[in-house]
Amino acid sequence: MIPSLSSGPRPVIGLDIGTSGVRAIAVSPDGRPLASESTSLPSPQRDADGGVRQDPTLWWRAVGAVLSGLARRLSGAPPAALCLDGTSSTILLCDAGGEPLGAARMYSDASARREADQIGAVAPAESPARGANSSLAKLLRLLDEHAPVAPVLALHQADWIGGRLRGRFGDSDWNNALKLGFDPAAERWPDWLRQLPLGPARLPSVHAPGTDLGPIDADVARAM
């Protein structure tokens, strides 16, 4: 039985986008679990060259399903905040309005070996952006695959879902951006990135984890 939440402090929601499914939990300000929802995701497409891809719209439909279910169970108690996470180094390209150019490259995609060599030639030895599994290597692979001419956004899974929820795209955090090359110590994108063929790709604005990035879009909230 769900406690009555019509008065008192509003709950907060944690949203987890994983490999096999999406889960959400609502907790009270003192940490008591109040309600939870989950749904499964189809398996990603696996290519012979080590590529692992998935349609981002599958994530969004799953997020809508779990948040709608949670909203029904929390009737009368709109959440005070939502925090989300996704699979690290899963990345996609999208236009300024958040429309994906195609499938995302998943965290386990290891097909960007040539791109990893390009990064290895310019990145410091300690950089998490080195290696075929990095989001930077996958970004270079995506740029080669789609060959965009107009500016495009490079966003991680959590970045894109957060953008869909807020109706505004282009933000990330230190944890996601590490494998894209971001330097959290200097709090900026490093100069060596300019030596790579990033072309029209726009890297996200990067914030400290837990930063309030703004409210959920009113239309999105009503649809949930």
Side-chain angles (χ1 to χ4, degrees):
M1 181 177 178
I2 305 301
S4 174
L5 299 171
S6 58
S7 60
R10 292 157 60 193
V12 295
I13 291 175
L15 177 65
D16 172 56
I17 305 142
T19 304
S20 59
V22 174
R23 296 160 288 275
I25 186 169
V27 298
S28 65
D30 61 2
R32 288 181 300 114
L34 300 171
S36 63
E37 290 286 339
S38 65
T39 191
S40 61
L41 284 170
S43 296
Q45 175 183 331
R46 299 184 181 276
D47 303 329
D49 65 354
V52 185
R53 297 179 289 158
Q54 194 166 52
D55 180 356
T57 61
L58 296 173
W59 312 335
W60 181 240
R61 286 201 292 267
V63 166
V66 297
L67 291 183
S68 294
L70 212 55
R72 288 191 294 270
R73 301 187 67 187
L74 295 173
S75 179
L82 183 149
C83 182
L84 71 93
D85 68 72
T87 51
S88 174
S89 82
T90 293
I91 193 166
L92 68 152
L93 292 177
C94 65
D95 64 21
E99 186 64 29
L101 271 61
R105 292 276 172 178
M106 299 295 287
Y107 71 97
S108 53
D109 188 304
S111 65
R113 291 178 285 275
R114 178 176 61 85
E115 291 80 4
D117 289 341
Q118 289 180 278
I119 296 165
V122 299
E126 69 277 7
S127 174
R130 296 170 68 97
N133 288 117
S134 76
S135 45
L136 183 57
K138 290 174 215 159
L139 170 58
L140 293 175
R141 182 70 187 270
L142 286 167
L143 289 169
D144 184 64
E145 178 183 353
H146 295 287
V149 176
V152 290
L153 297 175
L155 297 176
H156 298 90
Q157 185 178 51
D159 306 337
W160 185 74
I161 292 295
R164 289 293 305 255
L165 288 168
R166 293 180 295 116
R168 187 176 74 250
F169 297 86
D171 295 289
S172 188
D173 67 85
W174 297 351
N175 294 333
N176 276 294
L178 273 176
K179 293 183 180 180
L180 196 55
F182 185 76
D183 183 345
E187 297 188 24
R188 67 181 183 90
W189 295 105
D191 293 336
W192 58 260
L193 282 172
R194 296 178 185 149
Q195 300 178 60
L196 296 171
L198 295 176
R202 288 175 47 203
L203 300 180
S205 299
V206 184
H207 309 271
T211 299
D212 184 350
L213 296 180
I216 291 176
D217 180 80
D219 290 337
V220 172
R222 280 191 289 269
M224 298 292 180

